[in-house]
Amino acid sequence: MIPATFSYARPTTIDEAIALLTKHGSGAKVLAGGHSLLPAMKLRLAQPEVLIDIGRIAGLNTIAERDGRVVIGTMATHAEIESSALVARACPLLGQVAARIGDAQVRNRGTIGGSLVHADPGADFPAAILALDAELRLASPRGSRSVKAAAFFEAMMQTVVQPDELLFEITVPKTATSAAYVKSEQKASGFAICGVAAIVDAQAKTVAVGVTGVASKPYRATAVEAALRGRALTPDAVAAAAALAANGVEPLGDIHASPEYRAHLAAVNTKRAILKAVAQG
Ligand SMILES: Cc1cc2nc3c(=O)[nH]c(=O)nc-3n(C[C@H](O)[C@H](O)[C@H](O)COP(=O)(O)OP(=O)(O)OC[C@H]3O[C@@H](n4cnc5c(N)ncnc54)[C@H](O)[C@@H]3O)c2cc1C
C-alpha cells in the first residue's frame, strides 16, 4: 500500500502545468483531488514519475456565467457544484447529480475534472455532461481545444485527453428546470450501477438522455430520444421509449449486477428520470 517513488510539482498557472506536462510526457500525472489517483498509486496500478498538483492554480475551481453558458473550472469539487447558487439557477441538473455522489467526504475532495478524466464507468457526472451536450476545454503545448461530451469518452477509464493535456473547464448551456437524475447505486461507494440524466425541452418536444453505470462507457440513449422526438410525453409513450434505453450497448456484469439487471435498470431509471423531468416542467 505504499506508492512507488515519485517527485511532486505544484504549478501556480495553467502555463506552468502545461510546461511540466510537456517536459515529463507520459511519466507525469495530473493530481486533482487525488481520490482515484492516490489509491491507484498505492496499489501500483499507476506509477507516475512526477505528480503535477493543480490544486494551487488560482481560478481553476471557479463556477461562473460566460456568453450565456455556465462555466465550471475543472477543480470545482462536487460539494462546490452542489452548493452553487448559479448552478441551482442556471443548470440545476448538475447540482442534483453532484448531491448524489458518494458521501460528504467524497464530495468535499472529488473534482468534476478528475471524475470526467478518470472516466470510471459508474461515475455520475458523465450522464449529465452527455445529456447537456457539454463542451470540455483542454489545454496543451499545441494550444487549447474544445471537445464535445459525446466525443470525450472512448472506453472504460479512457478519454480523448492526451498525456500532455490538461482539462481546465467544462461549459454547459443554461437549462430550464425540466431535468432529473435517477440512479441505482452501489450502497457502499455510491457509484452508479445505473444512473440516468434526462432533460426535457417541452417547447422543442425533445428529450436528451445520458446513461452511466450500464456499459463500459457512458452513452446517450439515442433510441429513446428518437422514439420521443415530437411526441406527447405521456406515461405510456415514455415507458415504451424507455424500454430502448440499453439498445446497442453491451451491459456490464459484475458482483454488483448482472448485464440483464443493468439493462432492466436502464429502462426503469430512464422512464423515471423523464417522467420526473416532465413533472417539473
Ligand atoms: C469512497 C469513494 C466513493 C466515491 N463515490 C462516487 C460516486 O458515488 N459517484 C461518482 O461519480 N464518483 C464517486 N467517487 C469518485 C470521486 O468522486 C472522484 O470524482 C474521483 O475519484 C476522481 O477524483 P479526483 O477528482 O480527486 O481526481 P484524481 O484522483 O486526482 O484524478 C483522477 C484521474 O484524472 C486525472 N486528472 C484529474 N484532473 C485532471 C485534469 N484537470 N486534466 C487532466 N487529467 C486530470 C488524473 O491524472 C487521474 O488520472 C468516489 C470516490 C471514492 C474514493
Side-chain angles (χ1 to χ4, degrees):
M1 296 305 273
I2 296 175
T5 307
F6 60 90
S7 58
Y8 173 82
R10 202 164 69 190
T12 54
T13 64
I14 292 181
D15 285 349
E16 267 177 52
I18 298 301
L20 286 160
L21 283 170
T22 309
K23 182 173 168 199
H24 298 287
S26 52
K29 274 264 177 210
V30 170
L31 175 70
H35 242 173
S36 289
L37 183 54
L38 295 188
M41 287 170 64
K42 287 183 176 180
L43 292 168
R44 306 223 172 178
L45 296 171
Q47 300 196 22
E49 290 151 22
V50 186
L51 271 192
I52 302 174
D53 181 352
I54 58 170
R56 304 293 170 95
I57 300 178
L60 267 195
N61 67 340
T62 302
I63 301 174
E65 214 173 328
R66 194 175 69 216
D67 303 331
R69 292 173 72 88
V70 181
V71 182
I72 300 172
T74 187
M75 285 298 289
T77 62
H78 312 325
E80 284 167 338
I81 294 169
E82 179 186 1
S83 62
S84 159
L86 172 60
V87 168
R89 192 176 70 248
C91 190
L93 176 63
L94 283 180
Q96 278 187 50
V97 171
R100 296 294 312 276
I101 295 176
D103 54 27
Q105 282 170 310
V106 168
R107 293 194 293 277
N108 277 328
R109 192 75 203 160
T111 65
I112 186 167
S115 171
L116 295 174
V117 178
H118 189 62
D120 187 293
D124 291 288
F125 272 128
I129 290 300
L130 281 166
L132 285 162
D133 261 335
E135 287 199 5
L136 297 99
R137 307 251 302 135
L138 303 168
S140 77
R142 297 169 295 288
S144 65
R145 64 173 176 140
S146 280
V147 179
K148 289 267 190 195
F152 187 76
F153 302 101
E154 288 191 320
M156 183 177 288
M157 304 185 112
Q158 211 175 302
T159 70
V160 296
V161 179
Q162 299 301 304
D164 62 353
E165 280 187 309
L166 180 79
L167 171 65
F168 63 96
E169 68 183 23
I170 298 102
T171 82
V172 295
K174 290 204 248 172
T175 47
T177 49
S178 303
Y181 184 60
V182 172
K183 92 163 159 173
S184 307
E185 70 270 27
Q186 297 171 24
K187 295 301 173 197
S189 68
F191 275 109
I193 293 172
C194 169
V196 178
I199 300 172
V200 170
D201 185 331
Q203 267 190 330
K205 291 203 167 177
T206 58
V207 170
V209 179
V211 182
T212 190
V214 172
S216 54
K217 65 173 191 167
Y219 62 93
R220 280 279 287 258
T222 49
V224 177
E225 295 173 358
L228 290 174
R229 199 162 297 131
R231 299 272 311 272
L233 298 178
T234 62
D236 283 350
V238 171
L244 309 173
N247 262 27
V249 303
E250 215 172 292
L252 295 170
D254 57 24
I255 56 163
H256 303 294
S258 65
E260 294 76 17
Y261 186 56
R262 278 192 163 86
H264 171 72
L265 285 179
V268 171
N269 288 352
T270 296
K271 180 181 80 176
R272 289 182 182 164
I274 296 173
L275 291 177
K276 199 171 165 190
V278 169
Q280 289 168 8

